[in-house]
Amino acid sequence: METVAEFDLEPFDVGGAAPDVVGLFAQEAASLTRLARFYLDDRTAAEDLVQEAFIRLSRSAGRIRQRGNAAAYLRSIVINLARDHNRRGLVSLRHRPSALPDAPSAEEDAHTRAERQEVIDALRALPRRQRDCVTLRYYLDLSIPDIAETLGLSANTVKTHLQRGMASLATTLEGTR
């Protein structure tokens, strides 16, 4: 499996403490599910993927040296699981039939859904690193240093991917309107 970033998973130094997985779930689960939804069409699969990410974190939580790395580590796991899910064409982590597509809310009209889908399709058409940087920056509101930590890139590389990705999105989306 391809990894987004390498994390220092050595045992804690004396005095270190494992991250609070339950607290981290309360704090990060919703944003991680939104992140997974940019890679997956199935909400149930995205939620399963986030749950799997927390299971994997809890298994290795005692080996993470810095508490602050736990959220970045989770984002990395979610991105890797989403890529793996799409690469293998899995229906879900449990190999169950796909859920019915999400029913649009009453206030959501066809035009809004079409525009949202255009943006998602344009995002999915971006090269992998550009897509990762754009989704982390503009959909999870992560800072450049947080994105760099999550993806294992330098801040300047993240800025370059963001610039190129946004330019490509602008070109693609302007061409459809």
Side-chain angles (χ1 to χ4, degrees):
M1 180 163 90
E2 181 179 329
T3 59
V4 172
E6 294 298 321
F7 289 89
D8 192 1
L9 295 177
E10 295 300 319
F12 275 107
D13 293 333
V14 176
D20 173 22
V21 177
V22 174
L24 199 56
F25 183 84
Q27 190 175 31
E28 298 289 334
S31 67
L32 291 171
T33 303
R34 284 192 306 273
L35 173 63
R37 290 281 287 151
F38 283 102
Y39 292 89
L40 307 173
D41 288 327
D42 183 357
R43 178 183 309 231
T44 304
E47 290 170 351
D48 287 347
L49 201 140
V50 170
Q51 288 177 0
E52 177 66 20
F54 276 97
I55 290 168
R56 291 183 183 192
L57 174 71
S58 68
R59 288 181 186 149
S60 62
R63 298 183 308 177
I64 298 174
R65 284 188 184 201
Q66 297 176 347
R67 277 189 116 130
N69 284 351
Y73 184 59
L74 276 168
R75 289 187 297 268
S76 175
I77 293 171
V78 167
I79 290 171
N80 285 332
L81 288 172
R83 285 183 188 153
D84 192 46
H85 182 277
N86 288 333
R87 185 181 318 122
R88 294 191 179 152
L90 298 175
V91 177
S92 76
L93 291 172
R94 296 186 187 135
H95 305 288
R96 63 181 178 216
S98 61
L100 296 174
D102 298 333
S105 64
E107 69 250 10
E108 192 173 42
D109 66 354
H111 180 69
T112 303
R113 286 191 312 266
E115 283 183 347
R116 183 177 301 139
Q117 190 61 47
E118 283 178 21
V119 173
I120 290 171
D121 291 343
L123 271 170
R124 289 179 177 164
L126 289 175
R128 182 175 51 90
R129 289 285 187 211
Q130 290 177 18
R131 179 183 60 238
D132 294 346
C133 289
V134 170
T135 56
L136 290 171
R137 178 72 178 122
Y138 296 103
Y139 289 95
L140 286 185
D141 292 325
L142 293 183
S143 66
I144 301 292
D146 288 342
I147 296 169
E149 180 182 4
T150 297
L151 299 177
L153 303 171
S154 71
N156 286 335
T157 301
V158 170
K159 290 176 188 177
T160 299
H161 285 307
L162 282 171
Q163 276 185 324
R164 291 178 183 168
M166 292 306 291
S168 180
L169 283 174
T171 301
T172 301
L173 293 173
E174 286 174 6
T176 61
R177 294 192 173 142

